[in-house]
Amino acid sequence: MTTSEAPKFRRYSAEDRAQMLVQAGLACLATGGITAFTIDNICRRAEASRGLIAHHFGGKDGLLAAVYEAAYQPMLATLRPGGEPLPLGVLLDAMFDAESHSPENLRIWLALWGEVAVNPDLRAAHRRNYGLYRNTVELAIEAHCFVRGLRIDAGALATTVIGLIDGLWLEQCIDPEGFDAASARAACKGLLEPLLGPLEVGDGA
Amino acid sequence: MTTSEAPKFRRYSAEDRAQMLVQAGLACLATGGITAFTIDNICRRAEASRGLIAHHFGGKDGLLAAVYEAAYQPMLATLRPGGEPLPLGVLLDAMFDAESHSPENLRIWLALWGEVAVNPDLRAAHRRNYGLYRNTVELAIEAHCFVRGLRIDAGALATTVIGLIDGLWLEQCIDPEGFDAASARAACKGLLEPLLGPLEVGDGA
DNA sequence: CACCTTACTATACGTTTGTTCAACAAGGTC
DNA sequence: GACCTTGTTGAACAAACGTATAGTAAGGTG
């Protein structure tokens, strides 16, 4: 009887709403690839109206850039938790952990890669993040080789190792059957250990 | 003055026209990824009218399936020219030849992979072709190991090697700078030789 | 030259795309 | 409780999407 009415929508802070849209965008990529990354899909999933993406990101492209950043961030955070790179064995284990190897995550990356290869704006963002990624791996390899007295071009090997890991990701992603995170990790170590010596989790010192 | 008029269009055989459309489709994928794979784009590039894709392939999906097959065929043909698999060293060289590593070809694959991960029909086609691909590599590894008396799980290693090669492709594709086919081949061999012994082109016997 | 098969064109159609924008209202501030 | 900032909505819009289809004509066959 009173004038109290249920609010027609909830008002979030700009950052909160932005993150909700980014999460919805990631979910769309995971479900249907870049083709499913549409204003309608994303806003439906985020339970928001169609105008919001333009309001918070200036348009679809702005959201895609934010989505790309959001996809990279957890990986970088995992690889150097305190800013300091991990020992190589630990680093590899982190790269093959269950979450980053989830089918959803892999499909997201595949969709993003396809766009990076074709979209100059995304490529700029990629170059920056990939540089950090590669640098982290290179430092870990360098430290590993220094301790063991191995003379190896850490820069070139870093690129190769990243390629190997991403390639194993890729196979697993394209057809998830017959290959899982544990197999991928074993395969990776099997290829690296003849070159680098044993890569145990506890090889810190 | 005679009745002779220039023909309004050229009539091709069904197979010829189909191949023209497939080629145009590949070109679209190479240029703009899966987003650019549209009826308008493809037909404009093939200099054909918009109805032709439906006529020859039943629709866009039919063309995409044909494009996928067309992308796989030259690779399989390269890897076992006469039906017989090549020696491992030669096989790896073939995998890193200039043409298959062209930026266009890499972008095509990236676009197709993104779809395979999400499209059940394409996945079925992928599973079949990938099986042939993997089998070829496995046989080459098996033969290599047999000759050298190495005891290695050729099946698992085949998957790993394919992952490595595709991963190196991937890096090169996403950002073509600072990495070329020759570097990729060197990186691949550098990782495999500690495990498998020297992989020379002329290691046939 | 007449005929016939079928590759082909071109239009129309309904749907979905991304963007724009005026109006609305949620929720903190006074 | 009045006010104001601004996050939010929903409709309107043109462009682009894929498909269906009726009609056209190229080019081989007799």
Side-chain angles (χ1 to χ4, degrees):
Chain A
M1 287 303 170
T2 65
T3 65
S4 72
E5 299 155 20
K8 296 188 178 175
F9 58 89
R10 166 107 185 262
R11 229 174 129 95
Y12 293 91
S13 72
E15 308 89 61
D16 285 352
R17 182 65 88 174
Q19 200 186 343
M20 291 169 66
L21 290 171
V22 166
Q23 289 302 321
L26 287 168
C28 288
L29 287 181
T31 305
I34 195 67
T35 306
F37 193 81
T38 66
I39 302 278
D40 280 318
N41 257 343
I42 297 162
C43 289
R44 194 178 314 133
R45 200 180 277 263
E47 299 182 78
S49 71
R50 291 160 31 85
L52 265 194
I53 289 178
H55 183 253
H56 285 289
F57 296 95
K60 192 190 168 190
D61 290 347
L63 175 60
L64 185 57
V67 164
Y68 186 83
E69 291 297 329
Y72 236 116
Q73 240 45 56
M75 182 163 66
L76 290 175
T78 303
L79 297 192
R80 37 181 178 185
E84 203 66 22
L86 297 165
L88 186 54
V90 181
L91 188 74
L92 291 176
D93 278 332
M95 283 170 155
F96 285 109
D97 71 343
E99 188 183 352
S100 50
H101 260 76
S102 69
E104 296 78 30
N105 204 33
L106 296 173
R107 282 195 296 266
I108 289 169
W109 275 109
L110 210 40
L112 288 174
W113 284 335
E115 274 300 295
V116 170
V118 146
N119 179 330
D121 294 343
L122 273 190
R123 176 167 296 183
H126 169 76
R127 204 164 276 165
R128 181 167 29 81
N129 284 318
Y130 177 80
L132 289 170
Y133 178 22
R134 189 180 168 290
N135 191 250
T136 303
V137 176
E138 182 176 345
L139 287 177
I141 292 175
E142 211 162 42
H144 178 94
C145 292
F146 179 77
V147 169
R148 317 229 167 179
L150 300 169
R151 300 187 63 83
I152 289 180
D153 180 347
L157 186 56
T159 305
T160 308
V161 168
I162 291 177
L164 173 60
I165 290 172
D166 287 355
L168 292 170
W169 268 35
L170 183 65
E171 285 194 273
Q172 195 181 333
C173 174
I174 294 177
D175 192 357
E177 286 182 25
F179 212 51
D180 58 9
S183 312
R185 175 165 59 188
C188 181
K189 292 200 170 177
L191 219 49
L192 291 179
E193 290 192 330
L195 191 65
L196 295 173
L199 295 165
E200 319 240 326
V201 174
D203 73 340
Chain B
M1 284 305 166
T2 64
T3 65
S4 72
E5 299 155 19
K8 295 187 177 175
F9 58 89
R10 168 106 185 263
R11 228 175 131 95
Y12 294 89
S13 71
E15 308 90 59
D16 284 353
R17 182 65 87 172
Q19 199 186 342
M20 292 168 66
L21 290 170
V22 166
Q23 289 303 321
L26 287 167
C28 288
L29 288 181
T31 305
I34 194 69
T35 307
F37 193 82
T38 66
I39 302 277
D40 280 318
N41 259 342
I42 297 162
C43 289
R44 193 178 315 132
R45 200 180 277 262
E47 299 182 77
S49 71
R50 290 159 30 83
L52 265 194
I53 288 177
H55 183 252
H56 285 289
F57 296 95
K60 191 190 169 190
D61 289 347
L63 176 59
L64 185 58
V67 164
Y68 186 83
E69 291 297 331
Y72 236 116
Q73 239 46 56
M75 183 162 67
L76 290 175
T78 303
L79 297 192
R80 35 181 178 186
E84 203 65 23
L86 297 165
L88 186 54
V90 180
L91 188 75
L92 291 176
D93 278 332
M95 283 169 155
F96 284 109
D97 71 343
E99 189 184 352
S100 50
H101 259 78
S102 69
E104 296 78 30
N105 204 32
L106 296 173
R107 283 196 296 267
I108 289 169
W109 275 109
L110 210 41
L112 288 174
W113 284 335
E115 276 299 295
V116 170
V118 147
N119 179 329
D121 294 342
L122 274 189
R123 176 167 296 181
H126 169 75
R127 203 164 277 164
R128 180 167 30 80
N129 284 317
Y130 177 79
L132 288 170
Y133 178 23
R134 189 180 168 289
N135 191 250
T136 303
V137 176
E138 182 175 346
L139 287 177
I141 292 175
E142 211 162 41
H144 178 94
C145 292
F146 180 76
V147 169
R148 318 229 169 180
L150 299 169
R151 300 188 62 84
I152 289 180
D153 180 347
L157 187 56
T159 306
T160 308
V161 168
I162 292 177
L164 173 60
I165 291 173
D166 287 355
L168 292 171
W169 269 35
L170 184 65
E171 285 195 272
Q172 195 182 333
C173 175
I174 294 177
D175 192 357
E177 287 182 25
F179 212 51
D180 57 10
S183 312
R185 176 166 57 188
C188 181
K189 292 199 172 180
L191 219 49
L192 290 179
E193 289 191 329
L195 190 66
L196 294 174
L199 295 166
E200 319 240 326
V201 175
D203 73 340

